[in-house]
Amino acid sequence: MNDIEPSPRHARSFLDAQRVASKRLGFSVTRACPLRCQHCSVNAAPEFAKTTFTTAFAHHVAEQMPDLAKIGVRFIDFTGGEPVLAHSFVRIVSEAAVNAGMTCGLVTAAHWAGDTAKAHALIDKFPNIENWDISADIYHLPFVPAENVRTAFLALESRGRSARIRVAHHDEMSFEEATLIDFVHRFAGRRIGFQPIGPVGRGKALVVSPQVDESERDRTACASTGLLIQNNGAGAPCCAPLSHESIRSPMFVGNAFTESLSDMVSRWRVHPLIQTIRLWGFAPLEAWLNEWGERSERFWRRQTCDECVAMLTDPVLVDRLNRRANRLDHRILLAIALQRDFREPWLEDQIKDEAQRRVEGDDRIWAEDDAPLEAFGLV
């Protein structure tokens, strides 16, 4: 497999994860899953086989891997539902991705690891998947015994793959959750990641995310792992709760059934609202809301992702925030910061190209940004 920097989910630090998110493309390949977990954010279930990406679409995506590699995409990840059920799509696309110099990863519930032989048989069907995230939590246990998780992890190790356990948990962890984590820690050590269960999908029946005081908020910047292609082709801004909401939003960057993946990745990389939240969190958005006389505290939540859902599922508000983020003065500051902190040149390159066209007399460029243009003597 390729010896390059770790993918966002396997990065060594939060900053490292942020820096490689723009090099990752994810696919939510199906809503089908042999499990029907109470907390599932995408409402996955066995009856959704028809949502699985087709073999024809797999070949269409595979053909685009060289173009994605040319623009710096280094990681292709598969999630769902249960992505091993979409074996044709995953195998075709992962082979093309690896041939183009990328590394592939997959998130699975390990229902297939009833014993070591079965685990090896499944792993061997996906020779181009290097990074495996095995989901484990108390809501999986009625369907997948904890021993399956251990068997899958050890089988992956024996096949030379990179494995990590991903534990979903309640904000206030229960004794049952702590017991499961202790079990996992005994064989996985520090190769465990954690994610809170959110009020999304079936999780809405389990979790309430109320407004909190400022002292209780998580003010961490957005931990987006990059563009996610949903099973309906839509290009969602991340793989977190906002992407699981059934909404039409300026935060979505196209549809893979009708547009090229390279164009969608490029659009995500320079999307001012997405990149503002990714870089600075919600502080700039709160400042804009306060300028408009809006109460930003009504969106305050304990978890960053829950705050995102609370604020950015209102299409009218998102449109207003998106227009504010697209102002030239803000985009210039954002471009400099993205280059400085994440080493990402794309927004800066876009603004330079626009400036060149404006200097050459294209008055359509920045037509609504007279104030900043006055400073440059361009109006």
Side-chain angles (χ1 to χ4, degrees):
M1 296 293 174
N2 298 311
D3 184 20
I4 58 177
E5 72 262 57
S7 69
R9 288 198 182 101
H10 290 242
R12 297 178 183 87
S13 71
F14 182 68
L15 180 58
D16 286 345
Q18 286 184 300
R19 282 179 171 168
V20 297
S22 60
K23 302 174 184 178
R24 173 197 174 270
L25 176 61
F27 293 89
S28 182
V29 298
T30 185
R31 282 183 60 206
C33 182
L35 288 56
R36 193 189 299 271
C37 301
Q38 285 181 269
H39 70 319
C40 183
S41 59
V42 297
N43 293 305
E47 62 265 26
F48 292 126
K50 290 184 178 180
T51 67
T52 303
F53 284 150
T54 64
T55 300
F57 183 57
H59 288 294
H60 175 66
V61 169
E63 291 170 356
Q64 299 180 65
M65 289 299 122
D67 289 337
L68 287 167
K70 287 178 183 176
I71 65 167
V73 175
R74 294 289 175 263
F75 307 100
I76 300 295
D77 286 336
F78 306 95
T79 184
E82 174 52 75
V84 302
L85 299 182
H87 49 85
S88 178
F89 181 89
V90 173
R91 290 184 66 175
I92 291 168
V93 174
S94 62
E95 180 179 7
V98 168
N99 287 341
M102 304 180 197
T103 297
C104 296
L106 181 147
V107 181
T108 179
H111 67 281
W112 39 267
D115 58 49
T116 300
K118 291 177 180 177
H120 282 153
L122 187 285
I123 294 164
D124 292 344
K125 289 181 180 179
F126 299 98
N128 295 299
I129 301 297
E130 167 68 10
N131 297 321
W132 293 69
D133 280 52
I134 306 167
S135 298
D137 53 68
I138 61 172
Y139 296 106
H140 283 192
L141 292 180
F143 306 94
V144 180
E147 189 59 34
N148 276 42
V149 176
R150 178 179 176 277
T151 300
F153 184 90
L154 297 178
L156 286 161
E157 275 200 326
S158 71
R159 286 295 197 255
R161 311 297 174 84
S162 174
R164 191 181 74 150
I165 310 299
R166 200 161 116 183
V167 179
H169 61 88
H170 287 280
D171 198 32
E172 294 187 9
M173 199 173 292
S174 68
F175 177 78
E176 188 180 6
E177 287 173 321
T179 300
L180 177 61
I181 292 168
D182 181 65
F183 170 79
V184 168
H185 182 263
R186 273 180 260 147
F187 63 82
R190 297 183 64 181
R191 284 177 287 176
I192 308 175
F194 298 92
Q195 63 183 78
I197 296 168
V200 183
R202 286 197 288 271
K204 288 179 179 178
L206 296 171
V207 177
V208 176
S209 184
Q211 180 181 328
V212 298
D213 295 332
E214 186 166 14
S215 62
E216 298 179 88
R217 297 173 64 199
D218 178 3
R219 299 183 67 87
T220 308
C222 169
S224 172
T225 53
L227 175 64
L228 177 74
I229 306 302
Q230 296 178 323
N231 67 279
N232 61 3
C238 61
C239 66
L242 180 68
S243 297
H244 305 324
E245 294 286 324
S246 298
I247 55 173
R248 295 175 64 87
S249 168
M251 300 282 282
F252 285 65
V253 294
N255 193 291
F257 293 161
T258 58
E259 302 176 69
S260 83
L261 292 169
S262 293
D263 286 348
M264 294 175 69
V265 169
S266 297
R267 210 172 293 145
W268 183 94
R269 287 171 167 175
V270 299
H271 192 293
L273 186 55
I274 293 173
Q275 300 309 325
T276 295
I277 299 167
R278 181 171 159 245
L279 184 68
W280 291 316
F282 288 92
L285 281 64
E286 289 182 33
W288 300 337
L289 289 169
N290 293 334
E291 286 176 11
W292 302 333
E294 300 269 0
R295 290 177 52 251
S296 61
E297 61 267 23
R298 63 194 167 107
F299 300 115
W300 293 352
R301 299 294 186 272
R302 193 182 302 275
Q303 300 290 342
T304 299
C305 289
D306 294 346
E307 190 161 314
C308 184
V309 171
M311 184 181 296
L312 299 180
T313 50
D314 178 343
V316 175
L317 179 59
V318 174
D319 182 66
R320 194 177 183 188
L321 291 167
N322 192 53
R323 283 186 280 112
R324 177 61 180 83
N326 270 280
R327 267 180 37 175
L328 178 60
D329 53 350
H330 178 74
R331 290 171 63 227
I332 290 172
L333 293 174
L334 180 62
I336 293 170
L338 286 169
Q339 177 69 270
R340 179 195 65 197
D341 296 343
F342 294 165
R343 306 166 190 158
E344 294 178 6
W346 301 293
L347 183 56
E348 183 176 318
D349 290 345
Q350 183 187 63
I351 292 172
K352 287 179 179 177
D353 178 69
E354 292 170 358
Q356 182 66 38
R357 290 158 61 192
R358 177 76 189 208
V359 168
E360 291 174 355
D362 189 344
D363 294 338
R364 296 169 299 175
I365 303 299
W366 303 338
E368 298 179 1
D369 283 291
D370 286 350
L373 292 180
E374 287 176 3
F376 297 123
L378 293 174
V379 293

